[in-house]
Amino acid sequence: MLTVNRFFKPFVGTEYDKGICGKRILVLGASFYCSHSPESSSPCRFFAECTSPERKDSSRFDSCCPFYEGAGLRLSEEPSNAIAENYRAYQNFGRFMEQFVEEGTEDVWQRMAFTDYVQFFLPTIDTKKEYLSRRDFNAFNETLVELKPHIVVAWGMAIIEEIRERNPYVTDFEKLKETEWYVCHLQVPQVPSEIALVCCYHPSSVKYWYNDIDTLTKYMKEVLGLGKN
């Protein structure tokens, strides 16, 4: 599929089409950030341009990042790189999703797809509003058209306004309160089936993630077709 706005190539598990409970699931993080600022112990000479909030474009350094090229990695493949690194957030979410797959499943991430919303590397760990652009929303929709998920699970609050409150494809915003603001639905052109959008706390935010995990479990069961109880 030709993508015009997207920089990051989503990770797609080998059993994505099999899915979980027969549902294709796309996990959506907020952003990737670069830790090699001039103030860091390992600064990058490309940092200012690659992470510029004005340019919002890391593509020039896709294959020549000093910290990636030696390992044969590309910036645009960061969703797959992140899954391979298996940081805490991915471990926490993976363990959570294991309850919905059959016993003996080797790697639950192979049943899902993953990408981030913002389409360039950020200069800070926080996803600030000024970093977001219409390009990100268009890239998100390109990914929905390509992967045709039944469910999107969005992590954290940083992008929630863009994908839910300001999204013209949300069909039942007025019913969000009925699901404690966890679930609404999208009808995206060129995607044949309705998409359930589940917005949850970020799995790296340990306090909020674990305090509300029972509520998330309840609504994941519902969108997976496992009942409301």
Side-chain angles (χ1 to χ4, degrees), residues 44-197:
C44 176
R45 65 185 184 278
F46 300 133
F47 181 86
E49 185 176 351
C50 186
T51 67
S52 168
E54 289 74 36
R55 292 176 58 89
K56 296 180 170 64
D57 186 2
S58 303
S59 61
R60 178 183 167 189
F61 309 101
D62 187 23
S63 60
C64 65
C65 170
F67 298 93
Y68 278 57
E69 63 175 336
L73 303 176
R74 287 180 175 267
L75 297 181
S76 59
E77 296 175 344
E78 185 60 10
S80 295
N81 301 336
I83 294 294
E85 289 287 343
N86 200 24
Y87 300 113
R88 182 177 65 180
Y90 305 94
Q91 294 176 27
N92 290 346
F93 189 76
R95 282 194 292 267
F96 168 75
M97 293 302 294
E98 284 174 354
Q99 66 183 298
F100 305 118
V101 297
E102 55 270 25
E103 188 175 346
T105 299
E106 198 165 309
D107 182 359
V108 71
W109 275 106
Q110 294 302 324
R111 298 283 192 90
M112 300 183 285
F114 169 75
T115 194
D116 268 3
Y117 183 76
V118 181
Q119 294 299 302
F120 73 104
F121 273 88
L122 304 189
T124 63
I125 192 171
D126 296 324
T127 307
K128 301 178 182 180
K129 287 188 176 182
E130 58 262 34
Y131 296 158
L132 308 180
S133 70
R134 188 66 183 179
R135 173 196 177 187
D136 304 321
F137 181 77
N138 292 338
F140 173 51
N141 284 310
E142 288 175 356
T143 297
L144 296 182
V145 171
E146 178 182 357
L147 299 183
K148 295 177 173 55
H150 299 105
I151 301 167
V152 173
V153 182
W155 291 353
M157 302 296 108
I159 59 173
I160 200 167
E161 287 186 17
E162 304 301 316
I163 64 170
R164 195 176 70 182
E165 275 76 353
R166 298 178 185 173
N167 191 337
Y169 302 133
V170 172
T171 61
D172 55 356
F173 186 84
E174 71 283 356
K175 295 184 178 180
L176 264 168
K177 192 174 182 180
E178 296 175 11
T179 62
E180 301 171 76
W181 298 89
Y182 267 83
V183 182
C184 63
H185 296 84
L186 311 176
Q187 190 64 66
V188 178
Q190 300 181 60
V191 179
S193 60
E194 187 178 62
I195 300 169
L197 174 63

